[in-house]
Amino acid sequence: AFVELAVRAGDQVGCDLVEELTLEAPLVLPESGAVRVQVWVGAEDSSGRRELSFYSSAGEVDEGRVWTRHATGVLGEGGRSDGVSLVAWPPPGAEVVDLEGFYDRADFAYGPVFQGLRAAWRTGDEVFAEVVLPEEVKAEGFGLHPALLDAAMHAMGLMGEAEGPGRLPFSWSGVRLHASGATVLRVRLAPTSADGVSLAVADGTGAPVATVDSLVLRPAAPDQIARDERNDALFGVDWVPMVLPDGDVPTTHWSDLETLAQHAEPSDFVVLPCPVTSASDPVNGAREAAYWTLNAVRAWLAEERPHAARLAVVTRRAVAVADDEGVRNLAHAAVWGLVRSAQSENPDRIVLVDLDDEAASLEALPSALATGEPQLAVRSGEALMPRLTRTTQPTTDHPGFGAGTVLLTGPTGPLGSLVARHLVTERGVRNLLLVSRHEADAEGAAQLRDELAAQGAEVVLAACDTADREALAALLAAHQVSAVVHTAGELDDGTIGSLTPERIDTVFRPKVDAAWHLHELTADLDLSAFVLFSSATGLFGAPGQGTYAAANTFLDALAQHRRAAGLPATSLAWGPWTAEDGASPGA
């Protein structure tokens, strides 16, 4: 249905290609009543592309309507494409697939309108299928009836047995509609990746109807398919495979910091790999990488260039594109926050790429840059793009604090005091170790301690600079800590052109240094929780907050590093706190 809406929206604005369509949350219909759907199409950019979003709401107008975003995408102009004809049918030499009991075995309960798969054949890795729309269902008014397209995708279940829960469409790329009104389809499905396929769709005569360059599916458990009308929500980042363009690739020129400012050779991209840093000292490595990147980006932006080349900053293993991957290069992780902020200040000037160590990824780099994505990763030659997706944190995965002592950094600031109260009143914590550089003398420290004590908590105020490893080690030796919550931080905002290494240090010390020392010194303590307060500025970038964003992407990477090592970790990339809390934007 979302594909049908996207194609229709493209018709309205003169776009014949759905370049991409990523589903974030299922649209669940109520048992009775209606759902209002809103399709939003953005303004045309310089390349003729338009952003696309889908929202729904089941509330009445006078109730204060709550809108849920279900999908985002991009419309574009695909150029001349005749589609794929499937006149020879059934495919010569194909093996017939037995569909007896197919819908009885399906992961989902399909109603009669959606049980359209009638015949299937297999040849090699490809599956061919014939699907039919029931006679009582009319195709008029649709480009491609959603029930018919859905039935076409059922044949993906014949391409191999998938483990775990059933799978639902997640990401579409390169969708073109060539003809409308079909009630019978011939479909060819070919694998493009472990979780994706391409589709060639024709009508009952074999004439082209639609093509899909790539469709990626994701597992969907029953508890994920639930109505969610909250204004607030929990989001995560998914790395979505993308189809690399065929044909000409952009010209690239590899450079280094010494020759960057003098670069005058016409090219589409100037590729600048970040230098290798010490893996044994991620904190100083993060500083070195941030200093180097700051100098490089400033040099690039300072020069007026006669050609429209973009700078491609390349890191190695600085992001984790899968839950079990982990971040192998924490130092380069800080580069991502800094560059994201530079991108927000200087649109279309810089691209951010993360590579693994395989030759295929290096070879795929020019094609990956041709996609136009501002941020991407390449793994084993496959390009992936980051997308924000709504997620639900399992109850069993919530940070637990048990009956031990919870160490909280930065507790007397506006944010820290909120968290301290939350731990006691909402999470039942009865032993708190409140730590800051001048805790005993900090304004409001004794008052907060007394307030929490009145709630039944035993509170200890400790003066300790957690960025000082020896001082923190002595503090931990004196207390039996069972959980850590790190909220301490400091701002030193400024645009990329005004930042200095000293300003990076100001922000890194209370956030990055302290987080790493807490990680190292508690690694053997069997903690029940290790919670880092990060910021959405690290994910999105924010004008004037390059240092803060860099520090927070280090925290996010540290959490992934810990989880990959089997240690507890949660990094919360907060958005702005409300003004009445008095806390800084982005936590």
Side-chain angles (χ1 to χ4, degrees), residues 50-305:
R50 296 174 181 265
E51 293 184 0
L52 181 71
S53 298
F54 298 88
Y55 302 84
S56 79
S57 176
E60 297 298 330
V61 175
D62 57 1
E63 293 178 355
R65 189 179 298 281
V66 176
W67 291 94
T68 298
R69 191 173 76 176
H70 294 283
T72 59
V74 176
L75 298 173
E77 297 179 7
R80 178 67 178 169
S81 176
D82 295 327
V84 177
S85 63
L86 298 174
V87 176
W89 199 260
E95 174 191 359
V96 176
V97 178
D98 183 8
L99 297 180
E100 182 69 28
F102 177 83
Y103 284 105
D104 294 333
R105 301 188 302 269
D107 291 300
F108 304 105
Y110 293 101
V113 173
F114 287 84
Q115 295 184 23
L117 183 59
R118 292 291 181 267
W121 300 264
R122 185 184 291 112
T123 173
D125 292 335
E126 296 183 338
V127 168
F128 297 81
E130 187 169 285
V131 297
V132 178
L133 196 65
E135 291 184 3
E136 66 272 16
V137 180
K138 303 302 180 184
E140 290 82 2
F142 293 93
L144 180 54
H145 196 287
L148 201 58
L149 179 57
D150 191 75
M153 295 186 301
H154 297 171
M156 291 182 68
L158 306 173
M159 302 183 73
E161 296 298 326
E163 298 180 358
R167 298 184 298 168
L168 290 176
F170 171 59
S171 176
W172 302 76
S173 300
V175 180
R176 295 176 176 84
L177 183 67
H178 306 288
S180 60
T183 58
V184 176
L185 295 182
R186 298 176 179 179
V187 187
R188 184 190 71 195
L189 301 97
T192 58
S193 66
D195 299 311
V197 298
S198 64
L199 287 86
V201 182
D203 64 15
T205 70
V209 169
T211 51
V212 178
D213 292 342
S214 175
L215 167 61
V216 175
L217 276 70
R218 291 183 61 190
D223 59 355
Q224 292 176 297
I225 307 174
R227 178 168 297 283
D228 182 0
E229 294 183 352
R230 299 173 298 169
N231 278 310
D232 59 332
L234 187 66
F235 292 84
V237 175
D238 280 335
W239 289 84
V240 182
M242 58 196 304
V243 177
L244 295 179
D246 295 326
D248 295 337
V249 297
T251 57
T252 58
H253 173 83
W254 288 76
S255 184
D256 55 36
L257 186 54
E258 293 182 359
T259 62
L260 182 65
Q262 290 78 36
H263 174 72
E265 177 182 330
S267 59
D268 296 312
F269 291 93
V270 175
V271 180
L272 188 66
C274 290
V276 176
T277 59
S278 173
S280 62
D281 187 1
V283 171
N284 284 329
R287 275 186 169 79
E288 293 169 6
Y291 299 163
W292 184 92
T293 304
L294 176 62
N295 288 334
V297 170
R298 290 182 62 178
W300 177 260
L301 297 174
E303 294 294 321
E304 293 187 7
R305 304 174 190 280

Side-chain angles (χ1 to χ4, degrees), residues 562-584:
R562 284 180 59 90
R563 292 179 72 91
L567 298 172
T570 301
S571 183
L572 298 167
W574 295 98
W577 293 82
T578 58
E580 62 194 41
D581 296 330
S584 301

Side-chain angles (χ1 to χ4, degrees), residues 322-346:
D323 292 340
D324 58 350
E325 180 180 347
V327 175
R328 301 183 187 179
N329 193 340
L330 289 171
H332 278 193
V335 171
W336 275 67
L338 184 64
V339 173
R340 280 168 171 159
S341 285
Q343 288 176 322
S344 67
E345 295 173 14
N346 304 273

